[in-house]
Amino acid sequence: MDITYPDRYYKAIEYVEQHYGDIEKNESLDNMHKLVMYALRQQVEIGPCKEPAPYVWNVKERYKHSAWSQLKSMSKFEAMFHYVQHLDEMIGPSWIQSVTVTEPSSSQHLSAAKEEAEEEGQG
């Protein structure tokens, strides 16, 4: 059975949370993977980056801001697709078989993003 979007994205989020925890603190992922996953998830949950860039000496936050702001007006659905694609490229597509989602997400942002993505996919 093939899982469609946005459910596939929510399974990917659940997998990452189960296997990596807080990706920012996880040491098994390299920084590039962390930045891509962070930026795409922000794009899904919040939309395009509209926040001002952090101060130059706040290097970590500037990298995160830069990664997110480069996505510009990418749609939530497209960001979901790229997030899953990135996870597939990182560890292979078999990750989806090891995840069971009890709820779409514990985050209120993800619930709203799911509704918006479903509406966007219909329109």
Side-chain angles (χ1 to χ4, degrees), residues 5 25 56 69:
Y5 289 88
K25 295 177 183 174
V56 174
S69 64

Side-chain angles (χ1 to χ4, degrees), residues 30-57:
D30 67 33
N31 288 334
M32 188 56 67
H33 289 304
K34 291 178 185 182
L35 283 172
V36 169
M37 294 169 79
Y38 166 82
L40 290 168
R41 189 166 178 179
Q42 289 292 97
Q43 192 75 8
V44 171
E45 293 181 8
I46 299 171
C49 181
K50 296 178 181 164
E51 299 176 12
Y55 291 110
V56 174
W57 53 83

Side-chain angles (χ1 to χ4, degrees), residues 49-66:
C49 181
K50 296 178 181 164
E51 299 176 12
Y55 291 110
V56 174
W57 53 83
N58 194 345
V59 177
K60 183 169 133 184
E61 292 303 314
R62 280 192 73 87
Y63 273 113
K64 287 168 58 178
H65 180 273
S66 176

Side-chain angles (χ1 to χ4, degrees), residues 104-116:
S105 173
S106 57
S107 168
Q108 292 177 358
H109 292 291
L110 284 178
S111 296
K114 181 177 180 180
E115 290 172 11
E116 288 178 27

Side-chain angles (χ1 to χ4, degrees), residues 11-13 15-16 20 37 82-93 95:
K11 280 198 171 248
I13 292 294
Y15 178 88
V16 170
Y20 298 107
M37 294 169 79
H82 286 296
Y83 188 95
V84 171
Q85 186 178 36
H86 186 75
L87 186 59
D88 285 350
E89 290 171 2
M90 270 177 43
I91 59 175
W95 63 266

